PDB file of all heavy atoms in Angstrom:
ATOM      1  N   MET A   1     -21.891  37.592 228.154  1.00 89.00           N
ATOM      2  CA  MET A   1     -21.358  36.270 228.499  1.00 89.00           C
ATOM      3  C   MET A   1     -19.845  36.309 228.669  1.00 89.00           C
ATOM      4  O   MET A   1     -19.151  37.092 228.023  1.00 89.00           O
ATOM      5  CB  MET A   1     -21.702  35.251 227.401  1.00 89.00           C
ATOM      6  CG  MET A   1     -23.159  34.911 227.302  1.00 89.00           C
ATOM      7  SD  MET A   1     -23.544  33.872 225.878  1.00 89.00           S
ATOM      8  CE  MET A   1     -22.843  32.326 226.402  1.00 89.00           C
ATOM      9  N   ALA A   2     -19.347  35.406 229.521  1.00 90.00           N
ATOM     10  CA  ALA A   2     -17.904  35.248 229.671  1.00 90.00           C
ATOM     11  C   ALA A   2     -17.344  34.580 228.418  1.00 90.00           C
ATOM     12  O   ALA A   2     -18.037  33.811 227.745  1.00 90.00           O
ATOM     13  CB  ALA A   2     -17.603  34.395 230.901  1.00 90.00           C
ATOM     14  N   THR A   3     -16.091  34.860 228.116  1.00 88.00           N
ATOM     15  CA  THR A   3     -15.499  34.309 226.898  1.00 88.00           C
ATOM     16  C   THR A   3     -15.452  32.787 226.926  1.00 88.00           C
ATOM     17  O   THR A   3     -15.630  32.156 225.890  1.00 88.00           O
ATOM     18  CB  THR A   3     -14.084  34.871 226.655  1.00 88.00           C
ATOM     19  OG1 THR A   3     -13.283  34.633 227.814  1.00 88.00           O
ATOM     20  CG2 THR A   3     -14.119  36.345 226.341  1.00 88.00           C
ATOM     21  N   ASP A   4     -15.245  32.194 228.102  1.00 89.00           N
ATOM     22  CA  ASP A   4     -15.213  30.726 228.138  1.00 89.00           C
ATOM     23  C   ASP A   4     -16.597  30.137 227.872  1.00 89.00           C
ATOM     24  O   ASP A   4     -16.715  29.050 227.301  1.00 89.00           O
ATOM     25  CB  ASP A   4     -14.631  30.206 229.454  1.00 89.00           C
ATOM     26  CG  ASP A   4     -15.421  30.624 230.683  1.00 89.00           C
ATOM     27  OD1 ASP A   4     -16.057  31.687 230.672  1.00 89.00           O
ATOM     28  OD2 ASP A   4     -15.382  29.869 231.684  1.00 89.00           O
ATOM     29  N   GLU A   5     -17.652  30.848 228.231  1.00 91.00           N
ATOM     30  CA  GLU A   5     -19.012  30.393 227.900  1.00 91.00           C
ATOM     31  C   GLU A   5     -19.238  30.444 226.394  1.00 91.00           C
ATOM     32  O   GLU A   5     -19.814  29.526 225.807  1.00 91.00           O
ATOM     33  CB  GLU A   5     -20.073  31.263 228.582  1.00 91.00           C
ATOM     34  CG  GLU A   5     -20.180  31.105 230.073  1.00 91.00           C
ATOM     35  CD  GLU A   5     -21.220  32.049 230.638  1.00 91.00           C
ATOM     36  OE1 GLU A   5     -20.954  33.262 230.710  1.00 91.00           O
ATOM     37  OE2 GLU A   5     -22.314  31.553 230.984  1.00 91.00           O
ATOM     38  N   ILE A   6     -18.798  31.529 225.773  1.00 90.00           N
ATOM     39  CA  ILE A   6     -18.936  31.665 224.320  1.00 90.00           C
ATOM     40  C   ILE A   6     -18.138  30.567 223.624  1.00 90.00           C
ATOM     41  O   ILE A   6     -18.595  29.952 222.669  1.00 90.00           O
ATOM     42  CB  ILE A   6     -18.494  33.068 223.855  1.00 90.00           C
ATOM     43  CG1 ILE A   6     -19.397  34.134 224.473  1.00 90.00           C
ATOM     44  CG2 ILE A   6     -18.492  33.162 222.336  1.00 90.00           C
ATOM     45  CD1 ILE A   6     -18.910  35.555 224.292  1.00 90.00           C
ATOM     46  N   GLU A   7     -16.934  30.303 224.142  1.00 88.00           N
ATOM     47  CA  GLU A   7     -16.086  29.252 223.579  1.00 88.00           C
ATOM     48  C   GLU A   7     -16.802  27.900 223.637  1.00 88.00           C
ATOM     49  O   GLU A   7     -16.801  27.147 222.663  1.00 88.00           O
ATOM     50  CB  GLU A   7     -14.766  29.199 224.362  1.00 88.00           C
ATOM     51  CG  GLU A   7     -13.841  28.085 223.972  1.00 88.00           C
ATOM     52  CD  GLU A   7     -13.179  28.259 222.619  1.00 88.00           C
ATOM     53  OE1 GLU A   7     -13.208  29.352 222.050  1.00 88.00           O
ATOM     54  OE2 GLU A   7     -12.646  27.258 222.122  1.00 88.00           O
ATOM     55  N   ARG A   8     -17.452  27.587 224.749  1.00 89.00           N
ATOM     56  CA  ARG A   8     -18.147  26.297 224.900  1.00 89.00           C
ATOM     57  C   ARG A   8     -19.372  26.190 223.995  1.00 89.00           C
ATOM     58  O   ARG A   8     -19.822  25.097 223.689  1.00 89.00           O
ATOM     59  CB  ARG A   8     -18.557  26.085 226.361  1.00 89.00           C
ATOM     60  CG  ARG A   8     -17.395  25.674 227.254  1.00 89.00           C
ATOM     61  CD  ARG A   8     -17.870  25.190 228.609  1.00 89.00           C
ATOM     62  NE  ARG A   8     -18.652  26.150 229.343  1.00 89.00           N
ATOM     63  CZ  ARG A   8     -18.179  27.048 230.205  1.00 89.00           C
ATOM     64  NH1 ARG A   8     -16.881  27.109 230.439  1.00 89.00           N
ATOM     65  NH2 ARG A   8     -18.981  27.879 230.835  1.00 89.00           N
ATOM     66  N   MET A   9     -19.924  27.310 223.552  1.00 90.00           N
ATOM     67  CA  MET A   9     -21.086  27.293 222.657  1.00 90.00           C
ATOM     68  C   MET A   9     -20.745  26.715 221.286  1.00 90.00           C
ATOM     69  O   MET A   9     -21.629  26.287 220.552  1.00 90.00           O
ATOM     70  CB  MET A   9     -21.633  28.707 222.441  1.00 90.00           C
ATOM     71  CG  MET A   9     -22.354  29.287 223.617  1.00 90.00           C
ATOM     72  SD  MET A   9     -22.836  30.998 223.294  1.00 90.00           S
ATOM     73  CE  MET A   9     -23.825  30.831 221.820  1.00 90.00           C
ATOM     74  N   GLY A  10     -19.479  26.757 220.917  1.00 91.00           N
ATOM     75  CA  GLY A  10     -19.084  26.256 219.601  1.00 91.00           C
ATOM     76  C   GLY A  10     -19.474  27.209 218.482  1.00 91.00           C
ATOM     77  O   GLY A  10     -19.825  26.767 217.390  1.00 91.00           O
ATOM     78  N   LEU A  11     -19.419  28.493 218.753  1.00 93.00           N
ATOM     79  CA  LEU A  11     -19.769  29.506 217.761  1.00 93.00           C
ATOM     80  C   LEU A  11     -18.877  29.406 216.518  1.00 93.00           C
ATOM     81  O   LEU A  11     -19.333  29.596 215.404  1.00 93.00           O
ATOM     82  CB  LEU A  11     -19.650  30.896 218.394  1.00 93.00           C
ATOM     83  CG  LEU A  11     -19.954  32.090 217.529  1.00 93.00           C
ATOM     84  CD1 LEU A  11     -21.436  32.115 217.157  1.00 93.00           C
ATOM     85  CD2 LEU A  11     -19.581  33.381 218.254  1.00 93.00           C
ATOM     86  N   LEU A  12     -17.604  29.081 216.744  1.00 97.00           N
ATOM     87  CA  LEU A  12     -16.629  29.003 215.655  1.00 97.00           C
ATOM     88  C   LEU A  12     -16.190  27.554 215.461  1.00 97.00           C
ATOM     89  O   LEU A  12     -15.873  26.858 216.426  1.00 97.00           O
ATOM     90  CB  LEU A  12     -15.423  29.885 215.968  1.00 97.00           C
ATOM     91  CG  LEU A  12     -15.764  31.353 216.264  1.00 97.00           C
ATOM     92  CD1 LEU A  12     -14.537  32.100 216.747  1.00 97.00           C
ATOM     93  CD2 LEU A  12     -16.363  32.021 215.046  1.00 97.00           C
ATOM     94  N   SER A  13     -16.178  27.110 214.228  1.00 97.00           N
ATOM     95  CA  SER A  13     -15.832  25.717 213.914  1.00 97.00           C
ATOM     96  C   SER A  13     -14.367  25.590 213.531  1.00 97.00           C
ATOM     97  O   SER A  13     -13.770  26.523 212.984  1.00 97.00           O
ATOM     98  CB  SER A  13     -16.695  25.211 212.756  1.00 97.00           C
ATOM     99  OG  SER A  13     -18.054  25.261 213.105  1.00 97.00           O
ATOM    100  N   GLU A  14     -13.810  24.424 213.795  1.00 98.00           N
ATOM    101  CA  GLU A  14     -12.423  24.134 213.430  1.00 98.00           C
ATOM    102  C   GLU A  14     -12.322  23.785 211.948  1.00 98.00           C
ATOM    103  O   GLU A  14     -13.298  23.379 211.324  1.00 98.00           O
ATOM    104  CB  GLU A  14     -11.904  22.942 214.242  1.00 98.00           C
ATOM    105  CG  GLU A  14     -11.761  23.229 215.709  1.00 98.00           C
ATOM    106  CD  GLU A  14     -11.125  22.083 216.487  1.00 98.00           C
ATOM    107  OE1 GLU A  14     -11.117  20.928 215.993  1.00 98.00           O
ATOM    108  OE2 GLU A  14     -10.644  22.358 217.596  1.00 98.00           O
ATOM    109  N   ILE A  15     -11.111  23.942 211.423  1.00 98.00           N
ATOM    110  CA  ILE A  15     -10.811  23.463 210.076  1.00 98.00           C
ATOM    111  C   ILE A  15      -9.680  22.452 210.194  1.00 98.00           C
ATOM    112  O   ILE A  15      -8.970  22.410 211.206  1.00 98.00           O
ATOM    113  CB  ILE A  15     -10.447  24.604 209.106  1.00 98.00           C
ATOM    114  CG1 ILE A  15      -9.197  25.358 209.569  1.00 98.00           C
ATOM    115  CG2 ILE A  15     -11.625  25.551 208.938  1.00 98.00           C
ATOM    116  CD1 ILE A  15      -8.661  26.347 208.553  1.00 98.00           C
ATOM    117  N   HIS A  16      -9.517  21.615 209.180  1.00 98.00           N
ATOM    118  CA  HIS A  16      -8.504  20.560 209.205  1.00 98.00           C
ATOM    119  C   HIS A  16      -7.623  20.618 207.961  1.00 98.00           C
ATOM    120  O   HIS A  16      -8.016  21.208 206.948  1.00 98.00           O
ATOM    121  CB  HIS A  16      -9.189  19.195 209.325  1.00 98.00           C
ATOM    122  CG  HIS A  16      -9.875  19.046 210.644  1.00 98.00           C
ATOM    123  ND1 HIS A  16     -11.154  19.503 210.868  1.00 98.00           N
ATOM    124  CD2 HIS A  16      -9.446  18.532 211.821  1.00 98.00           C
ATOM    125  CE1 HIS A  16     -11.480  19.271 212.131  1.00 98.00           C
ATOM    126  NE2 HIS A  16     -10.478  18.690 212.726  1.00 98.00           N
ATOM    127  N   PHE A  17      -6.470  20.002 208.070  1.00 98.00           N
ATOM    128  CA  PHE A  17      -5.465  20.055 207.005  1.00 98.00           C
ATOM    129  C   PHE A  17      -5.028  18.654 206.608  1.00 98.00           C
ATOM    130  O   PHE A  17      -5.098  17.714 207.402  1.00 98.00           O
ATOM    131  CB  PHE A  17      -4.246  20.850 207.482  1.00 98.00           C
ATOM    132  CG  PHE A  17      -4.548  22.298 207.748  1.00 98.00           C
ATOM    133  CD1 PHE A  17      -4.994  22.712 208.999  1.00 98.00           C
ATOM    134  CD2 PHE A  17      -4.413  23.253 206.747  1.00 98.00           C
ATOM    135  CE1 PHE A  17      -5.280  24.039 209.252  1.00 98.00           C
ATOM    136  CE2 PHE A  17      -4.700  24.580 206.993  1.00 98.00           C
ATOM    137  CZ  PHE A  17      -5.141  24.982 208.248  1.00 98.00           C
ATOM    138  N   ASP A  18      -4.545  18.564 205.388  1.00 97.00           N
ATOM    139  CA  ASP A  18      -3.954  17.314 204.925  1.00 97.00           C
ATOM    140  C   ASP A  18      -2.576  17.157 205.570  1.00 97.00           C
ATOM    141  O   ASP A  18      -1.988  18.118 206.094  1.00 97.00           O
ATOM    142  CB  ASP A  18      -3.818  17.323 203.399  1.00 97.00           C
ATOM    143  CG  ASP A  18      -5.176  17.282 202.711  1.00 97.00           C
ATOM    144  OD1 ASP A  18      -6.103  16.633 203.253  1.00 97.00           O
ATOM    145  OD2 ASP A  18      -5.312  17.904 201.641  1.00 97.00           O
ATOM    146  N   TYR A  19      -2.044  15.960 205.512  1.00 96.00           N
ATOM    147  CA  TYR A  19      -0.729  15.663 206.081  1.00 96.00           C
ATOM    148  C   TYR A  19       0.339  16.570 205.467  1.00 96.00           C
ATOM    149  O   TYR A  19       0.387  16.769 204.256  1.00 96.00           O
ATOM    150  CB  TYR A  19      -0.383  14.186 205.844  1.00 96.00           C
ATOM    151  CG  TYR A  19       0.999  13.805 206.303  1.00 96.00           C
ATOM    152  CD1 TYR A  19       1.303  13.763 207.661  1.00 96.00           C
ATOM    153  CD2 TYR A  19       1.994  13.518 205.387  1.00 96.00           C
ATOM    154  CE1 TYR A  19       2.580  13.420 208.086  1.00 96.00           C
ATOM    155  CE2 TYR A  19       3.279  13.167 205.794  1.00 96.00           C
ATOM    156  CZ  TYR A  19       3.564  13.134 207.153  1.00 96.00           C
ATOM    157  OH  TYR A  19       4.825  12.805 207.579  1.00 96.00           O
ATOM    158  N   ASP A  20       1.160  17.134 206.320  1.00 96.00           N
ATOM    159  CA  ASP A  20       2.306  17.954 205.905  1.00 96.00           C
ATOM    160  C   ASP A  20       1.888  19.121 205.007  1.00 96.00           C
ATOM    161  O   ASP A  20       2.596  19.485 204.069  1.00 96.00           O
ATOM    162  CB  ASP A  20       3.336  17.063 205.181  1.00 96.00           C
ATOM    163  CG  ASP A  20       4.692  17.732 205.051  1.00 96.00           C
ATOM    164  OD1 ASP A  20       5.043  18.543 205.936  1.00 96.00           O
ATOM    165  OD2 ASP A  20       5.390  17.479 204.048  1.00 96.00           O
ATOM    166  N   SER A  21       0.718  19.712 205.291  1.00 97.00           N
ATOM    167  CA  SER A  21       0.195  20.781 204.443  1.00 97.00           C
ATOM    168  C   SER A  21      -0.405  21.903 205.290  1.00 97.00           C
ATOM    169  O   SER A  21      -0.952  21.652 206.359  1.00 97.00           O
ATOM    170  CB  SER A  21      -0.879  20.222 203.509  1.00 97.00           C
ATOM    171  OG  SER A  21      -1.504  21.258 202.789  1.00 97.00           O
ATOM    172  N   ALA A  22      -0.307  23.094 204.748  1.00 98.00           N
ATOM    173  CA  ALA A  22      -0.979  24.252 205.345  1.00 98.00           C
ATOM    174  C   ALA A  22      -1.923  24.883 204.328  1.00 98.00           C
ATOM    175  O   ALA A  22      -2.316  26.041 204.468  1.00 98.00           O
ATOM    176  CB  ALA A  22       0.051  25.271 205.822  1.00 98.00           C
ATOM    177  N   ASP A  23      -2.297  24.108 203.299  1.00 98.00           N
ATOM    178  CA  ASP A  23      -3.209  24.602 202.268  1.00 98.00           C
ATOM    179  C   ASP A  23      -4.656  24.442 202.723  1.00 98.00           C
ATOM    180  O   ASP A  23      -5.033  23.399 203.278  1.00 98.00           O
ATOM    181  CB  ASP A  23      -3.018  23.831 200.958  1.00 98.00           C
ATOM    182  CG  ASP A  23      -1.636  24.070 200.352  1.00 98.00           C
ATOM    183  OD1 ASP A  23      -1.056  25.157 200.585  1.00 98.00           O
ATOM    184  OD2 ASP A  23      -1.140  23.161 199.657  1.00 98.00           O
ATOM    185  N   LEU A  24      -5.472  25.465 202.447  1.00 97.00           N
ATOM    186  CA  LEU A  24      -6.900  25.394 202.782  1.00 97.00           C
ATOM    187  C   LEU A  24      -7.626  24.529 201.770  1.00 97.00           C
ATOM    188  O   LEU A  24      -7.463  24.705 200.562  1.00 97.00           O
ATOM    189  CB  LEU A  24      -7.525  26.793 202.775  1.00 97.00           C
ATOM    190  CG  LEU A  24      -7.104  27.740 203.887  1.00 97.00           C
ATOM    191  CD1 LEU A  24      -7.737  29.116 203.672  1.00 97.00           C
ATOM    192  CD2 LEU A  24      -7.501  27.182 205.244  1.00 97.00           C
ATOM    193  N   ARG A  25      -8.427  23.611 202.266  1.00 96.00           N
ATOM    194  CA  ARG A  25      -9.284  22.813 201.398  1.00 96.00           C
ATOM    195  C   ARG A  25     -10.567  23.593 201.139  1.00 96.00           C
ATOM    196  O   ARG A  25     -10.939  24.479 201.917  1.00 96.00           O
ATOM    197  CB  ARG A  25      -9.592  21.462 202.057  1.00 96.00           C
ATOM    198  CG  ARG A  25      -8.336  20.645 202.312  1.00 96.00           C
ATOM    199  CD  ARG A  25      -8.636  19.304 202.921  1.00 96.00           C
ATOM    200  NE  ARG A  25      -9.110  19.458 204.291  1.00 96.00           N
ATOM    201  CZ  ARG A  25      -9.193  18.471 205.163  1.00 96.00           C
ATOM    202  NH1 ARG A  25      -8.840  17.248 204.821  1.00 96.00           N
ATOM    203  NH2 ARG A  25      -9.645  18.681 206.384  1.00 96.00           N
ATOM    204  N   GLU A  26     -11.245  23.276 200.053  1.00 96.00           N
ATOM    205  CA  GLU A  26     -12.475  23.998 199.697  1.00 96.00           C
ATOM    206  C   GLU A  26     -13.519  23.909 200.808  1.00 96.00           C
ATOM    207  O   GLU A  26     -14.173  24.897 201.133  1.00 96.00           O
ATOM    208  CB  GLU A  26     -13.037  23.465 198.375  1.00 96.00           C
ATOM    209  CG  GLU A  26     -13.952  24.432 197.670  1.00 96.00           C
ATOM    210  CD  GLU A  26     -13.315  25.794 197.390  1.00 96.00           C
ATOM    211  OE1 GLU A  26     -12.147  25.864 196.993  1.00 96.00           O
ATOM    212  OE2 GLU A  26     -14.016  26.808 197.585  1.00 96.00           O
ATOM    213  N   SER A  27     -13.674  22.743 201.411  1.00 96.00           N
ATOM    214  CA  SER A  27     -14.657  22.580 202.491  1.00 96.00           C
ATOM    215  C   SER A  27     -14.294  23.451 203.696  1.00 96.00           C
ATOM    216  O   SER A  27     -15.173  23.941 204.403  1.00 96.00           O
ATOM    217  CB  SER A  27     -14.760  21.113 202.903  1.00 96.00           C
ATOM    218  OG  SER A  27     -13.502  20.634 203.367  1.00 96.00           O
ATOM    219  N   ASP A  28     -13.012  23.651 203.922  1.00 97.00           N
ATOM    220  CA  ASP A  28     -12.582  24.491 205.039  1.00 97.00           C
ATOM    221  C   ASP A  28     -12.781  25.973 204.745  1.00 97.00           C
ATOM    222  O   ASP A  28     -13.002  26.764 205.655  1.00 97.00           O
ATOM    223  CB  ASP A  28     -11.130  24.192 205.398  1.00 97.00           C
ATOM    224  CG  ASP A  28     -10.972  22.788 205.969  1.00 97.00           C
ATOM    225  OD1 ASP A  28     -11.829  22.377 206.774  1.00 97.00           O
ATOM    226  OD2 ASP A  28     -10.009  22.092 205.587  1.00 97.00           O
ATOM    227  N   ARG A  29     -12.729  26.344 203.484  1.00 97.00           N
ATOM    228  CA  ARG A  29     -13.041  27.735 203.125  1.00 97.00           C
ATOM    229  C   ARG A  29     -14.496  28.050 203.482  1.00 97.00           C
ATOM    230  O   ARG A  29     -14.799  29.139 203.970  1.00 97.00           O
ATOM    231  CB  ARG A  29     -12.806  27.980 201.631  1.00 97.00           C
ATOM    232  CG  ARG A  29     -11.352  27.989 201.238  1.00 97.00           C
ATOM    233  CD  ARG A  29     -11.186  28.196 199.716  1.00 97.00           C
ATOM    234  NE  ARG A  29      -9.855  27.882 199.290  1.00 97.00           N
ATOM    235  CZ  ARG A  29      -8.829  28.726 199.338  1.00 97.00           C
ATOM    236  NH1 ARG A  29      -9.013  29.948 199.789  1.00 97.00           N
ATOM    237  NH2 ARG A  29      -7.630  28.357 198.934  1.00 97.00           N
ATOM    238  N   ALA A  30     -15.394  27.095 203.259  1.00 97.00           N
ATOM    239  CA  ALA A  30     -16.808  27.296 203.623  1.00 97.00           C
ATOM    240  C   ALA A  30     -16.950  27.471 205.135  1.00 97.00           C
ATOM    241  O   ALA A  30     -17.726  28.315 205.602  1.00 97.00           O
ATOM    242  CB  ALA A  30     -17.651  26.122 203.134  1.00 97.00           C
ATOM    243  N   VAL A  31     -16.201  26.693 205.907  1.00 98.00           N
ATOM    244  CA  VAL A  31     -16.223  26.829 207.371  1.00 98.00           C
ATOM    245  C   VAL A  31     -15.701  28.204 207.769  1.00 98.00           C
ATOM    246  O   VAL A  31     -16.283  28.888 208.626  1.00 98.00           O
ATOM    247  CB  VAL A  31     -15.400  25.705 208.042  1.00 98.00           C
ATOM    248  CG1 VAL A  31     -15.220  25.962 209.529  1.00 98.00           C
ATOM    249  CG2 VAL A  31     -16.051  24.354 207.805  1.00 98.00           C
ATOM    250  N   LEU A  32     -14.616  28.629 207.147  1.00 98.00           N
ATOM    251  CA  LEU A  32     -14.050  29.944 207.461  1.00 98.00           C
ATOM    252  C   LEU A  32     -15.009  31.073 207.076  1.00 98.00           C
ATOM    253  O   LEU A  32     -15.071  32.094 207.760  1.00 98.00           O
ATOM    254  CB  LEU A  32     -12.698  30.130 206.768  1.00 98.00           C
ATOM    255  CG  LEU A  32     -11.551  29.298 207.360  1.00 98.00           C
ATOM    256  CD1 LEU A  32     -10.299  29.434 206.499  1.00 98.00           C
ATOM    257  CD2 LEU A  32     -11.268  29.688 208.800  1.00 98.00           C
ATOM    258  N   ASN A  33     -15.764  30.897 205.997  1.00 98.00           N
ATOM    259  CA  ASN A  33     -16.771  31.899 205.618  1.00 98.00           C
ATOM    260  C   ASN A  33     -17.809  32.046 206.725  1.00 98.00           C
ATOM    261  O   ASN A  33     -18.201  33.166 207.083  1.00 98.00           O
ATOM    262  CB  ASN A  33     -17.454  31.531 204.305  1.00 98.00           C
ATOM    263  CG  ASN A  33     -16.547  31.710 203.106  1.00 98.00           C
ATOM    264  OD1 ASN A  33     -15.597  32.478 203.131  1.00 98.00           O
ATOM    265  ND2 ASN A  33     -16.820  30.982 202.044  1.00 98.00           N
ATOM    266  N   LYS A  34     -18.264  30.928 207.282  1.00 98.00           N
ATOM    267  CA  LYS A  34     -19.238  30.970 208.385  1.00 98.00           C
ATOM    268  C   LYS A  34     -18.615  31.584 209.638  1.00 98.00           C
ATOM    269  O   LYS A  34     -19.263  32.357 210.338  1.00 98.00           O
ATOM    270  CB  LYS A  34     -19.773  29.568 208.682  1.00 98.00           C
ATOM    271  CG  LYS A  34     -20.690  29.047 207.609  1.00 98.00           C
ATOM    272  CD  LYS A  34     -21.176  27.649 207.926  1.00 98.00           C
ATOM    273  CE  LYS A  34     -22.026  27.115 206.785  1.00 98.00           C
ATOM    274  NZ  LYS A  34     -22.474  25.745 207.012  1.00 98.00           N
ATOM    275  N   ASN A  35     -17.376  31.226 209.918  1.00 98.00           N
ATOM    276  CA  ASN A  35     -16.696  31.815 211.071  1.00 98.00           C
ATOM    277  C   ASN A  35     -16.569  33.328 210.900  1.00 98.00           C
ATOM    278  O   ASN A  35     -16.779  34.086 211.856  1.00 98.00           O
ATOM    279  CB  ASN A  35     -15.315  31.190 211.260  1.00 98.00           C
ATOM    280  CG  ASN A  35     -15.357  29.788 211.840  1.00 98.00           C
ATOM    281  OD1 ASN A  35     -16.414  29.277 212.193  1.00 98.00           O
ATOM    282  ND2 ASN A  35     -14.211  29.141 211.926  1.00 98.00           N
ATOM    283  N   ALA A  36     -16.239  33.768 209.692  1.00 98.00           N
ATOM    284  CA  ALA A  36     -16.112  35.211 209.433  1.00 98.00           C
ATOM    285  C   ALA A  36     -17.454  35.912 209.633  1.00 98.00           C
ATOM    286  O   ALA A  36     -17.514  36.999 210.224  1.00 98.00           O
ATOM    287  CB  ALA A  36     -15.587  35.453 208.022  1.00 98.00           C
ATOM    288  N   ASP A  37     -18.539  35.294 209.167  1.00 97.00           N
ATOM    289  CA  ASP A  37     -19.871  35.880 209.369  1.00 97.00           C
ATOM    290  C   ASP A  37     -20.167  36.043 210.857  1.00 97.00           C
ATOM    291  O   ASP A  37     -20.688  37.070 211.294  1.00 97.00           O
ATOM    292  CB  ASP A  37     -20.953  35.018 208.708  1.00 97.00           C
ATOM    293  CG  ASP A  37     -20.906  35.067 207.193  1.00 97.00           C
ATOM    294  OD1 ASP A  37     -20.273  35.993 206.635  1.00 97.00           O
ATOM    295  OD2 ASP A  37     -21.497  34.169 206.561  1.00 97.00           O
ATOM    296  N   ALA A  38     -19.849  35.017 211.647  1.00 96.00           N
ATOM    297  CA  ALA A  38     -20.090  35.086 213.096  1.00 96.00           C
ATOM    298  C   ALA A  38     -19.221  36.170 213.736  1.00 96.00           C
ATOM    299  O   ALA A  38     -19.700  36.928 214.586  1.00 96.00           O
ATOM    300  CB  ALA A  38     -19.809  33.731 213.747  1.00 96.00           C
ATOM    301  N   LEU A  39     -17.984  36.259 213.314  1.00 97.00           N
ATOM    302  CA  LEU A  39     -17.099  37.278 213.885  1.00 97.00           C
ATOM    303  C   LEU A  39     -17.519  38.693 213.488  1.00 97.00           C
ATOM    304  O   LEU A  39     -17.335  39.638 214.258  1.00 97.00           O
ATOM    305  CB  LEU A  39     -15.646  37.011 213.473  1.00 97.00           C
ATOM    306  CG  LEU A  39     -15.019  35.785 214.134  1.00 97.00           C
ATOM    307  CD1 LEU A  39     -13.669  35.450 213.496  1.00 97.00           C
ATOM    308  CD2 LEU A  39     -14.875  36.006 215.633  1.00 97.00           C
ATOM    309  N   LYS A  40     -18.082  38.847 212.323  1.00 96.00           N
ATOM    310  CA  LYS A  40     -18.582  40.174 211.925  1.00 96.00           C
ATOM    311  C   LYS A  40     -19.877  40.495 212.655  1.00 96.00           C
ATOM    312  O   LYS A  40     -20.108  41.640 213.030  1.00 96.00           O
ATOM    313  CB  LYS A  40     -18.762  40.240 210.405  1.00 96.00           C
ATOM    314  CG  LYS A  40     -17.421  40.286 209.676  1.00 96.00           C
ATOM    315  CD  LYS A  40     -17.575  40.535 208.197  1.00 96.00           C
ATOM    316  CE  LYS A  40     -17.776  39.250 207.457  1.00 96.00           C
ATOM    317  NZ  LYS A  40     -17.745  39.400 205.995  1.00 96.00           N
TER     318      LYS A  40
END
């Protein structure tokens, strides 16, 4: 598949941050765990 097709599939989920923060929230760590599994 072309990379733009893979991108449209939504294989990787976004994470969000609190105002004026770059700290990972616990719920976002779970999202990143799933993203890491997909990337592996």
Side-chain angles (χ1 to χ4, degrees):
M1 291 173 72
T3 55
D4 61 331
E5 290 178 286
I6 297 169
E7 175 72 14
R8 283 192 302 269
M9 287 175 57
L11 179 67
L12 305 172
S13 299
E14 293 185 341
I15 61 171
H16 294 85
F17 295 88
D18 292 326
Y19 176 70
D20 195 30
S21 173
D23 295 332
L24 290 176
R25 299 182 290 194
E26 202 56 42
S27 60
D28 293 318
R29 289 178 194 276
V31 171
L32 288 173
N33 288 336
K34 289 179 184 177
N35 285 355
D37 290 343
L39 289 170
K40 288 188 273 188

